Structure formats: structure tokens, C-alpha cells
Amino acid sequence: MDKILLFEKQLEDIQNKLNEFERQHIYNNDVYLLFEQKRKLQRQLSLEKGEETAILFDYPFPCDTGAPLPHVISDGYKTLLIYYIGENNPVWKAQTYKITDLKTEHDDITALVEFNHCYCYRFGGINDEVISGHPLFEHGLEAYEAHIIENSTWIQAQSKINSIHGNYSQALWDKRKHYIFTFHDDIFECIADGYKVEVFKGRIKTVYDEATKRLFD
């Protein structure tokens, strides 16, 4: 049995188990583990088929799941994403990273993500209540997570548009990445070469002011 058929059979078995749990109104850790296994298999199957796939990557700056309040500022070349990590985020390992205290008498933790050579971005529209309707939901997309999109149709489309340019470089487009960040009330995605993150202790407005200053300086 090839990998595609194997993954499809495993997914069918998992879905049958989940359906049975639902019929019996059982919602426990076994159900959670099955959902996690299903998500992993969906990614494997999607990649094996060469389809657009949302991959979780090593991104240790979680958003607050209640009110992350994401903001985006951009000048068409540099794009900055700001959001609350949260003062008491249970998956945030504060002791691992440098935190700049803005002395605002505000103890919340805010992330400032700067995307390198950001070609374009999209922001808003989809919240956590409708994320299951996103076309990538069955291909690995999750709520409150950061993803890199493999086989990105957005990158492919933008590359094709730019291919008529006399200085078009396929190598440049091959290194670009499609990022998606899913928040409570919004979704952010961009095409960029990479990113860096700074973490601040203070009000989100103060971080926003700092980010705006960087664009103009």
C-alpha cells in the first residue's frame, strides 16, 4: 500500500472513532489525542499529494488566546505585526527570552514581529469560530498558531505575475515563505524572506508607537 492510501485509510479509521465518541457524547483526553493524530496525518497526506499545507514551525512566542489584539503596520517594504502574548500565558517561557521593559506601569507581554523583505500581506477576516471553513483547515491549519505554508498557491501566483519582469529571479521567489498567524478574532498572513521577534513588557500602544517610529526612521 502506498503512503497516500495508507494515510487515507488511517484517517478514515480515526474519523470513525471520533464519530463513535460523538454519538456517545464522550469528550475526554482520548478524543483530544485522536484529533491531534488526525491533524498530523492530514498534513502528511497533504504533503505527500503535493498540496498546499500549513506546517507548524518552531515559533516560541504564543499569542494570548483571549484578546491578543493584533495590529499591523507596513510601509510596503517592511511589515510589523504586534500582539499580546499575555501576562500569564501558560505556554510562554518568559525566562528564556530577553524582555525589554517599557516602564509603562503595565505588566502585559507584547510581541513585535518584523518580517524581512515582506512582499505583501493580508490581515483580518477570519476568526477562531469560523477557522474550520478555511481551505487550509483540512491541510494542517490550527487556531492560535504560527504556520509556514508549503506549496503555497499565493507565492506561486505572485511569482507568475512577476515573471514578466526583465529582472525576475526564480531563485528569489524560491526562498520566500508564506506565513500565517491565527488569532482569536483575526488572521494574518504574509510573503516574506524571514522574520525576527522582540518582546516587550508594557502597553500595546507603546509598542505600536515604537514600531511606527522604526518605519519612519
Side-chain angles (χ1 to χ4, degrees):
M1 182 180 296
D2 64 25
K3 287 186 178 180
I4 291 177
L5 290 176
L6 176 62
F7 293 151
E8 288 177 338
K9 179 62 169 63
Q10 290 174 332
L11 281 169
E12 182 182 0
D13 291 342
I14 289 174
Q15 190 58 56
N16 288 338
K17 292 178 183 178
L18 288 172
N19 292 342
E20 183 59 31
F21 278 128
E22 185 174 4
R23 279 192 293 269
Q24 297 182 36
H25 303 287
I26 296 174
Y27 306 98
N28 55 25
N29 192 57
D30 290 338
V31 175
Y32 172 79
L33 292 175
L34 281 174
F35 270 115
E36 288 296 300
Q37 189 178 355
K38 177 183 176 181
R39 183 74 69 198
K40 180 179 178 180
L41 284 169
Q42 284 175 325
R43 287 195 183 101
Q44 291 175 315
L45 176 60
S46 186
L47 287 173
E48 191 67 27
K49 289 181 174 181
E51 297 174 338
E52 195 171 27
T53 308
I55 305 295
L56 300 180
F57 64 101
D58 185 17
Y59 183 81
F61 305 97
C63 67
D64 186 294
T65 58
L69 301 178
H71 287 68
V72 179
I73 59 173
S74 178
D75 62 2
Y77 179 73
K78 181 184 292 184
T79 297
L80 302 163
L81 171 66
I82 305 161
Y83 64 89
Y84 275 139
I85 291 175
E87 182 180 353
N88 299 305
N89 193 314
V91 295
W92 163 242
K93 297 179 174 59
Q95 69 277 8
T96 309
Y97 303 96
K98 176 185 176 182
I99 300 176
T100 301
D101 192 339
L102 296 175
K103 310 296 183 183
T104 63
E105 298 182 357
H106 194 288
D107 292 332
D108 225 329
I109 305 299
T110 302
L112 172 59
V113 190
E114 180 178 329
F115 293 94
N116 307 325
H117 300 105
C118 182
Y119 176 75
C120 56
Y121 75 90
R122 302 188 288 216
F123 179 53
I126 298 174
N127 61 31
D128 59 352
E129 293 180 355
V130 300
I131 193 173
S132 60
H134 193 287
L136 286 175
F137 184 74
E138 298 297 329
H139 299 267
L141 192 72
E142 299 186 30
Y144 319 121
E145 293 286 1
H147 313 75
I148 288 180
I149 309 304
E150 295 290 338
N151 306 315
S152 169
T153 57
W154 192 22
I155 289 181
Q156 292 166 15
Q158 295 300 316
S159 177
K160 183 178 180 180
I161 291 170
N162 280 270
S163 65
I164 67 169
H165 195 286
N167 293 323
Y168 172 78
S169 169
Q170 182 63 54
L172 183 151
W173 280 94
D174 286 343
K175 74 175 184 178
R176 283 179 167 157
K177 299 178 178 64
H178 177 182
Y179 297 98
I180 291 185
F181 289 69
T182 50
F183 297 103
H184 179 67
D185 290 319
D186 303 279
I187 187 169
F188 170 84
E189 53 187 313
C190 71
I191 295 174
D193 288 351
Y195 70 92
K196 65 177 181 180
V197 183
E198 295 175 76
V199 180
F200 297 88
K201 180 180 179 182
R203 296 178 62 216
I204 200 166
K205 181 183 183 302
T206 309
V207 179
Y208 187 93
D209 291 342
E210 169 64 23
T212 303
K213 182 176 181 293
R214 293 184 186 187
L215 284 186
F216 286 98
D217 290 347

